[in-house]
Amino acid sequence: IEIDLRGRSRKFSANDQKLMYALASQAAIFIENARLERDVRSMFLNIIVSMAGAVDAKDAYTHGHSLRVARVALIVAQQREMAREQMEPLLLSAVLHDVGKIAIPDEILKKPTRLNKAEFEIMKGHTTAGAKMLSHIPALDNVIPGILEHHEYWNGSGYPGGLKGENISLLGRIIHIGVA
Protein backbone atom coordinates (compact mmCIF):
# COMPACT_ATOMS: atom_id res chain seq x y z
CA ILE A 1 0.00 0.00 0.00
CA GLU A 2 1.39 3.35 -1.00
CA ILE A 3 0.24 6.71 0.34
CA ASP A 4 0.90 9.95 -1.53
CA LEU A 5 0.79 12.86 0.90
CA ARG A 6 1.81 15.53 -1.63
CA GLY A 7 -0.69 18.32 -1.91
CA ARG A 8 -2.37 17.33 1.31
CA SER A 9 -3.19 20.29 3.57
CA ARG A 10 -3.06 18.38 6.82
CA LYS A 11 -0.79 15.79 8.37
CA PHE A 12 -1.42 12.07 8.52
CA SER A 13 -3.68 11.77 11.56
CA ALA A 14 -4.17 8.94 14.05
CA ASN A 15 -7.49 8.17 12.33
CA ASP A 16 -5.69 8.02 8.98
CA GLN A 17 -3.23 5.57 10.54
CA LYS A 18 -6.07 3.41 11.87
CA LEU A 19 -7.72 3.40 8.46
CA MET A 20 -4.46 2.42 6.75
CA TYR A 21 -3.84 -0.30 9.31
CA ALA A 22 -7.34 -1.69 8.70
CA LEU A 23 -6.81 -1.63 4.92
CA ALA A 24 -3.42 -3.31 5.25
CA SER A 25 -4.92 -5.97 7.53
CA GLN A 26 -7.69 -6.66 5.02
CA ALA A 27 -5.15 -6.89 2.19
CA ALA A 28 -3.07 -9.36 4.23
CA ILE A 29 -6.15 -11.48 4.94
CA PHE A 30 -7.06 -11.45 1.25
CA ILE A 31 -3.55 -12.54 0.23
CA GLU A 32 -3.50 -15.32 2.84
CA ASN A 33 -6.96 -16.54 1.77
CA ALA A 34 -5.84 -16.62 -1.87
CA ARG A 35 -2.78 -18.67 -0.88
CA LEU A 36 -4.91 -21.08 1.17
CA GLU A 37 -7.43 -21.42 -1.66
CA ARG A 38 -4.60 -22.24 -4.08
CA ASP A 39 -3.24 -24.84 -1.65
CA VAL A 40 -6.67 -26.44 -1.15
CA ARG A 41 -7.24 -26.51 -4.92
CA SER A 42 -3.86 -28.15 -5.44
CA MET A 43 -4.62 -30.74 -2.76
CA PHE A 44 -8.04 -31.39 -4.33
CA LEU A 45 -6.50 -31.96 -7.78
CA ASN A 46 -3.82 -34.25 -6.31
CA ILE A 47 -6.53 -36.31 -4.61
CA ILE A 48 -8.38 -36.61 -7.93
CA VAL A 49 -5.25 -37.81 -9.71
CA SER A 50 -4.59 -40.25 -6.84
CA MET A 51 -8.12 -41.64 -7.15
CA ALA A 52 -7.58 -42.21 -10.86
CA GLY A 53 -4.26 -43.86 -10.06
CA ALA A 54 -5.99 -46.17 -7.59
CA VAL A 55 -8.41 -47.29 -10.30
CA ASP A 56 -5.58 -47.83 -12.76
CA ALA A 57 -3.57 -49.74 -10.13
CA LYS A 58 -6.51 -52.08 -9.49
CA ASP A 59 -6.37 -53.23 -13.10
CA ALA A 60 -2.89 -53.48 -14.64
CA TYR A 61 -4.50 -53.74 -18.09
CA THR A 62 -5.70 -50.13 -17.85
CA HIS A 63 -2.59 -48.66 -16.19
CA GLY A 64 -2.33 -45.00 -17.25
CA HIS A 65 -5.65 -45.19 -19.13
CA SER A 66 -7.32 -42.32 -17.24
CA LEU A 67 -4.51 -39.87 -17.93
CA ARG A 68 -4.37 -40.91 -21.61
CA VAL A 69 -8.12 -40.30 -21.90
CA ALA A 70 -7.65 -36.92 -20.21
CA ARG A 71 -4.95 -35.96 -22.73
CA VAL A 72 -7.15 -36.91 -25.69
CA ALA A 73 -10.11 -35.05 -24.18
CA LEU A 74 -8.05 -31.87 -23.76
CA ILE A 75 -6.79 -32.10 -27.35
CA VAL A 76 -10.37 -32.45 -28.61
CA ALA A 77 -11.49 -29.55 -26.42
CA GLN A 78 -8.69 -27.33 -27.72
CA GLN A 79 -9.60 -28.21 -31.31
CA ARG A 80 -13.20 -27.26 -30.54
CA GLU A 81 -11.93 -24.02 -28.97
CA MET A 82 -13.84 -24.92 -25.83
CA ALA A 83 -14.18 -22.14 -23.25
CA ARG A 84 -11.48 -22.15 -20.59
CA GLU A 85 -14.03 -22.50 -17.76
CA GLN A 86 -15.25 -25.76 -19.33
CA MET A 87 -11.75 -27.26 -19.51
CA GLU A 88 -11.36 -28.06 -15.81
CA PRO A 89 -14.64 -30.00 -15.51
CA LEU A 90 -13.68 -31.87 -18.69
CA LEU A 91 -10.24 -32.70 -17.32
CA LEU A 92 -11.65 -33.88 -13.99
CA SER A 93 -14.34 -35.95 -15.73
CA ALA A 94 -11.77 -37.55 -18.00
CA VAL A 95 -9.39 -38.37 -15.17
CA LEU A 96 -12.23 -39.79 -13.04
CA HIS A 97 -14.31 -41.41 -15.80
CA ASP A 98 -13.56 -44.97 -14.59
CA VAL A 99 -13.55 -44.30 -10.83
CA GLY A 100 -16.63 -46.53 -10.52
CA LYS A 101 -14.50 -49.55 -11.44
CA ILE A 102 -13.45 -49.57 -7.79
CA ALA A 103 -16.91 -51.05 -7.15
CA ILE A 104 -16.51 -53.82 -9.75
CA PRO A 105 -15.46 -57.22 -8.34
CA ASP A 106 -11.87 -58.16 -9.23
CA GLU A 107 -12.92 -61.44 -10.83
CA ILE A 108 -14.83 -59.44 -13.44
CA LEU A 109 -12.52 -56.44 -13.70
CA LYS A 110 -9.39 -58.55 -14.08
CA LYS A 111 -10.89 -61.41 -16.05
CA PRO A 112 -8.35 -62.26 -18.78
CA THR A 113 -10.98 -63.54 -21.20
CA ARG A 114 -14.08 -61.98 -22.71
CA LEU A 115 -16.86 -61.17 -20.25
CA ASN A 116 -20.12 -63.09 -20.52
CA LYS A 117 -23.40 -61.18 -20.75
CA ALA A 118 -24.03 -61.14 -16.98
CA GLU A 119 -20.47 -60.04 -16.23
CA PHE A 120 -20.67 -57.30 -18.85
CA GLU A 121 -23.88 -56.00 -17.23
CA ILE A 122 -22.01 -55.75 -13.94
CA MET A 123 -19.06 -54.03 -15.64
CA LYS A 124 -21.42 -51.49 -17.22
CA GLY A 125 -22.37 -50.46 -13.69
CA HIS A 126 -19.05 -48.65 -13.29
CA THR A 127 -20.52 -45.51 -14.86
CA THR A 128 -23.39 -45.21 -12.39
CA ALA A 129 -21.21 -46.36 -9.48
CA GLY A 130 -18.69 -43.61 -10.25
CA ALA A 131 -21.39 -40.96 -10.54
CA LYS A 132 -22.94 -42.12 -7.26
CA MET A 133 -19.56 -42.15 -5.47
CA LEU A 134 -18.95 -38.51 -6.33
CA SER A 135 -22.53 -37.22 -6.14
CA HIS A 136 -22.15 -36.01 -2.55
CA ILE A 137 -19.33 -33.62 -3.52
CA PRO A 138 -20.98 -30.38 -4.73
CA ALA A 139 -17.73 -29.18 -6.33
CA LEU A 140 -17.97 -32.13 -8.74
CA ASP A 141 -21.59 -31.64 -9.86
CA ASN A 142 -20.47 -30.42 -13.29
CA VAL A 143 -18.04 -33.36 -13.62
CA ILE A 144 -20.53 -36.19 -13.08
CA PRO A 145 -22.19 -36.10 -16.55
CA GLY A 146 -18.86 -37.01 -18.19
CA ILE A 147 -18.37 -39.91 -15.77
CA LEU A 148 -21.92 -41.16 -16.18
CA GLU A 149 -22.16 -40.80 -19.97
CA HIS A 150 -18.72 -41.72 -21.33
CA HIS A 151 -20.07 -45.00 -22.78
CA GLU A 152 -23.09 -43.46 -24.50
CA TYR A 153 -23.10 -43.68 -28.30
CA TRP A 154 -24.38 -41.03 -30.69
CA ASN A 155 -26.82 -43.59 -32.15
CA GLY A 156 -28.32 -44.37 -28.72
CA SER A 157 -26.85 -47.85 -28.35
CA GLY A 158 -24.59 -47.01 -25.38
CA TYR A 159 -25.07 -47.20 -21.63
CA PRO A 160 -26.18 -46.54 -18.94
CA GLY A 161 -29.08 -44.47 -20.27
CA GLY A 162 -29.14 -45.24 -23.99
CA LEU A 163 -28.87 -41.50 -24.62
CA LYS A 164 -28.69 -40.37 -28.20
CA GLY A 165 -27.08 -37.45 -30.05
CA GLU A 166 -27.25 -34.07 -28.36
CA ASN A 167 -28.88 -35.65 -25.29
CA ILE A 168 -25.41 -36.88 -24.33
CA SER A 169 -23.53 -34.20 -22.42
CA LEU A 170 -20.63 -32.54 -24.19
CA LEU A 171 -18.31 -33.95 -21.53
CA GLY A 172 -19.62 -37.46 -22.15
CA ARG A 173 -19.20 -37.11 -25.91
CA ILE A 174 -15.64 -35.81 -25.69
CA ILE A 175 -14.52 -38.39 -23.12
CA HIS A 176 -16.08 -41.13 -25.25
CA ILE A 177 -13.66 -40.18 -28.03
CA GLY A 178 -10.73 -40.83 -25.71
CA VAL A 179 -12.21 -44.10 -24.43
CA ALA A 180 -13.04 -45.50 -27.87
Side-chain angles (χ1 to χ4, degrees):
I1 297 175
E2 187 175 314
I3 304 168
D4 183 3
L5 296 175
R6 290 177 289 177
R8 201 174 148 109
S9 60
R10 60 184 179 87
K11 293 184 177 182
F12 202 68
S13 70
N15 281 339
D16 292 336
Q17 286 179 335
K18 287 178 185 175
L19 176 63
M20 293 312 301
Y21 179 79
L23 287 172
S25 295
Q26 289 297 313
I29 290 169
F30 176 80
I31 291 167
E32 179 64 10
N33 283 346
R35 186 191 64 75
L36 290 172
E37 184 178 334
R38 185 195 67 223
D39 291 350
V40 167
R41 190 89 192 133
S42 176
M43 182 176 62
F44 172 74
L45 294 173
N46 286 330
I47 289 169
I48 296 296
V49 170
S50 295
M51 285 177 67
V55 173
D56 286 352
K58 186 173 179 184
D59 183 10
Y61 177 75
T62 61
H63 182 72
H65 170 72
S66 297
L67 294 179
R68 286 190 300 274
V69 169
R71 273 191 225 107
V72 169
L74 288 177
I75 290 167
V76 171
Q78 287 170 341
Q79 291 298 311
R80 281 188 101 251
E81 297 180 0
M82 197 172 193
R84 187 164 178 81
E85 61 272 3
Q86 292 179 300
M87 296 291 247
E88 185 175 285
L90 174 64
L91 176 62
L92 294 176
S93 281
V95 168
L96 291 172
H97 77 278
D98 276 344
V99 72
K101 286 185 176 178
I102 290 172
I104 304 300
D106 282 351
E107 59 272 10
I108 293 173
L109 187 64
K110 296 179 180 184
K111 185 175 177 181
T113 59
R114 190 175 185 91
L115 301 177
N116 65 37
K117 191 172 185 170
E119 292 167 334
F120 186 61
E121 286 303 312
I122 292 169
M123 180 62 88
K124 288 182 353 183
H126 81 278
T127 57
T128 52
K132 186 177 179 182
M133 284 170 152
L134 302 175
S135 65
H136 69 283
I137 306 172
L140 296 177
D141 284 347
N142 58 352
V143 170
I144 291 175
I147 295 167
L148 186 61
E149 300 170 7
H150 72 274
H151 282 292
E152 297 286 1
Y153 285 87
W154 189 257
N155 67 6
S157 66
Y159 62 89
L163 300 177
K164 188 175 189 175
E166 298 280 333
N167 290 326
I168 305 166
S169 69
L170 181 59
L171 296 181
R173 285 182 271 155
I174 291 174
I175 294 167
H176 180 81
I177 293 167
V179 170

